[in-house]
Amino acid sequence: MTLRYQHFITPEGSMEFPKVVRGEGVYIWDSTGRRLLDGSSGAISVNVGHAHPRVLEAMRDQMSRIVYAHSMRWDNDPNERLAARLERMSDWGYGAAFFVSGGSEANEAAIKFARQVAVARGQSSRYKIISRIPSYHGATTALLGITGDPDYAAAYKPMFVDMPKVDAPLTYRRPNGESEQDVVDRCVRQLEETILREGPETVLAFMIEPVGGVSTGALVSPDSYSTRIRQICDRHGVMLIYDEIMSGAGRTGKFLAGHHWPDCRPDIVTLAKGVSGSYAPLGVVLASTDMVQDVRRAGGFKHGHTYSANPVSCAASDMVLRVVEEDGLMERATRLGALIRSRLEALKQKTGVIGDIRGLGLHMAVEIVADRVTKEPFPGHIKAGERIGMICREHGLLLFSRRTAGGSFGEWLMLCPPLTIKEAEIEEMLESFEAGIRAFENEVAQEPVLRATA
Ligand code: PLP
């Protein structure tokens, strides 16, 4: 028996899982022969769709040469090509790319790298990583102390160091009649107060998702936010780390989500998921040249894994990013994201349960509410997002849903199809989504008790 994740496991044992058999483009097929549209790109990661012939060919080619050689002893061509491509596409003068096997490993490597820089610079009192709530940065024990989701971390609490948290600039639910500007003012003030309270000499970095992933439902911070957090970090010698595991690699319409705010350049950026299109496990840490030089002078980065800079993963990623560039998929994400948004806005007028539509490019989320005026969510036991996702699945559409921190911040569904999706497939996706929303509305209308607070 395979141990299942979270709600799919019951006290009696695992529920039977559908079995996936095949994928092509935006579709995947299960073992009954049923075709489903992959509206959340797997884990918001299959950026160029399934079974892309150019990526498969690049992987086959690399596999026929060599699949493995330890990165502490060998460089390899795909690893060098990919590092050069990432340096050019990220366009912020990052001096090195460090390759690992996924998002959590990338963030873990990023905080250890930041710490090694501080030690090399004679600032060994700096070790705290401030992050935001809500947020998700990964599953390792160190990252549980940084991830802003108390529910997710609760069982492991004695095992990790809980790092300081500040509010994420949530602009949909604003307390006490705040304006958007008030939200920014409060959040940046909190950041500076937290640094001062903790002691600036102890604070190593501020880690954020510049465009939120599943934890916030594609939160896009107001424009002035990034400039101001950069200024605060600079004032106190704190590094800024962008976790672009989900939002990076072109999904938002620019290569880095941070490129939407060009006057705020982070010191470190992490990528995973879409960077290899999920064709092979890969995570990336991009770091500023001056930091890389300091770590080199101090004897090199004391970190690594058996599969760091794996040649097949690097070859897959290099071709995925080539396809993103050569097929204009970032421009496509911007154009098709605007199309989806306008169609969702129209749907919002026809239903009562869509509270907010947010995101950038093909990185979008729809927040579900019981009451659009008060923004009241549905009672927790209904798991409205999950229920809508299940109905959409019956209509042939796969979507990710999330209730971060047990729903304290609301709940949402992610609409993040592969960047290769065609217009006709978008129509199909939106038809299934509308059918899911309408069926859910009918269910709750027939059972008014479902609207009562649990
Ligand atoms: N950071 C963000 C923003 C994520 O969305 C995720 C995964 O969803 C991670 C980190 C962790 O990545 P992984 O699941 O590859 O370890």
Side-chain angles (χ1 to χ4, degrees):
M1 187 171 86
T2 318
L3 181 59
R4 293 294 183 202
Y5 177 65
Q6 291 188 357
H7 52 275
F8 289 108
I9 189 158
T10 64
E12 297 78 43
S14 293
M15 276 164 60
E16 200 162 316
F17 252 40
K19 201 172 278 178
V20 69
V21 174
R22 182 169 90 78
E24 192 179 329
V26 298
Y27 295 107
I28 61 178
W29 283 261
D30 70 17
S31 53
T32 68
R34 181 136 194 263
R35 190 184 82 163
L36 295 138
L37 197 153
D38 194 0
S40 293
S41 301
I44 310 174
S45 55
V46 186
N47 280 10
V48 299
H50 298 274
H52 196 292
R54 291 180 71 192
V55 183
L56 297 183
E57 185 48 39
M59 291 175 77
R60 268 193 292 266
D61 179 60
Q62 182 55 42
M63 282 191 276
S64 68
R65 293 167 199 273
I66 186 157
V67 293
Y68 183 79
H70 200 299
S71 66
M72 278 176 68
R73 297 280 173 273
W74 299 92
D75 258 332
N76 59 69
D77 276 344
N79 147 358
E80 287 182 351
R81 267 201 318 272
L82 179 60
R85 186 179 296 280
L86 285 164
E87 209 175 310
R88 180 173 56 73
M89 291 180 86
S90 60
D91 193 31
W92 261 338
Y94 295 126
F98 186 75
F99 297 119
V100 291
S101 302
S104 300
E105 277 192 12
N107 282 341
E108 189 80 26
I111 59 175
K112 285 176 76 178
F113 178 81
R115 167 74 187 161
Q116 226 189 303
V117 172
V119 172
R121 291 177 177 175
Q123 299 182 1
S124 49
S125 60
R126 290 188 188 266
Y127 69 96
K128 294 176 189 164
I129 314 278
I130 300 176
S131 60
R132 305 192 309 193
I133 184 158
S135 63
Y136 182 67
H137 294 297
T140 64
T141 35
L143 293 171
L144 287 178
I146 297 171
T147 279
D149 183 341
D151 263 31
Y152 187 71
Y156 310 103
K157 202 146 172 60
M159 298 171 70
F160 61 83
V161 179
D162 208 0
M163 292 286 179
K165 310 279 185 307
V166 295
D167 290 346
L170 301 174
T171 45
Y172 175 57
R173 290 168 194 285
R174 295 184 227 139
N176 315 319
E178 281 182 341
S179 65
E180 252 188 46
Q181 194 51 50
D182 293 337
V183 173
V184 175
D185 290 346
R186 169 170 50 83
C187 292
V188 298
R189 196 174 52 242
Q190 260 185 23
L191 173 62
E192 187 145 38
E193 283 168 3
T194 305
I195 294 173
L196 292 171
R197 192 183 59 241
E198 296 291 331
E201 73 288 353
T202 69
V203 180
L204 179 61
F206 181 39
M207 180 182 261
I208 67 163
E209 298 162 73
V211 171
V214 170
S215 63
T216 55
L219 173 70
V220 180
S221 312
D223 282 344
S224 60
Y225 178 82
S226 38
T227 318
R228 290 176 64 187
I229 57 164
R230 180 71 268 185
Q231 286 164 352
I232 291 171
C233 287
D234 286 345
R235 198 148 54 232
H236 299 289
V238 171
M239 294 172 205
L240 182 59
I241 305 177
Y242 274 5
D243 172 348
E244 300 212 10
I245 303 296
M246 192 172 269
S247 60
R251 178 156 283 284
T252 67
K254 297 198 185 279
F255 182 62
L256 296 183
H259 286 159
H260 291 280
W261 300 277
D263 58 348
C264 176
R265 176 188 175 278
D267 304 288
I268 298 175
V269 179
T270 56
L271 298 164
K273 294 185 184 267
V275 80
S276 68
S278 282
Y279 279 79
L282 186 71
V284 180
V285 182
L286 297 172
S288 289
T289 310
D290 55 328
M291 298 165 81
V292 175
Q293 279 165 353
D294 286 348
V295 168
R296 282 210 176 115
R297 271 195 288 272
F301 188 21
K302 292 185 180 56
H303 184 71
H305 299 279
T306 300
Y307 297 113
S308 298
N310 176 265
V312 181
S313 295
C314 290
S317 172
D318 188 51
M319 185 52 83
V320 164
L321 298 184
R322 209 171 139 184
V323 168
V324 167
E325 277 196 296
E326 291 179 2
D327 293 359
L329 297 187
M330 290 184 270
E331 297 74 20
R332 198 180 164 76
T334 304
R335 183 167 59 78
L336 297 180
L339 172 69
I340 295 175
R341 182 182 286 272
S342 71
R343 295 286 306 279
L344 289 172
E345 292 290 353
L347 177 60
K348 183 178 170 184
Q349 301 315 315
K350 295 191 275 175
T351 91
V353 300
I354 296 184
D356 196 23
I357 299 159
R358 352 176 238 273
L360 280 173
L362 285 174
H363 187 79
M364 296 183 71
V366 170
E367 178 149 355
I368 303 299
V369 289
D371 184 322
R372 214 161 59 208
V373 178
T374 63
K375 304 181 181 175
E376 182 75 23
F378 279 94
H381 67 279
I382 295 179
K383 297 191 174 141
E386 196 178 309
R387 177 70 196 133
I388 295 169
M390 281 167 77
I391 306 172
C392 286
R393 191 188 181 105
E394 286 159 21
H395 289 268
L397 172 63
L398 294 171
L399 292 179
F400 241 57
S401 65
R402 182 57 60 101
R403 303 176 73 246
T404 303
S408 340
F409 300 96
E411 60 190 313
W412 38 81
L413 290 127
M414 306 295 291
L415 271 86
C416 303
L419 313 186
T420 48
I421 191 167
K422 301 185 179 77
E423 268 91 339
E425 293 162 343
I426 287 181
E427 294 306 316
E428 185 188 329
M429 178 178 86
L430 292 171
E431 268 170 33
S432 301
F433 185 63
E434 179 163 351
I437 292 278
R438 288 195 180 287
F440 174 75
E441 272 201 308
N442 285 340
E443 274 183 15
V444 289
Q446 280 159 29
E447 294 274 355
V449 68
L450 291 182
R451 284 186 182 265
T453 304

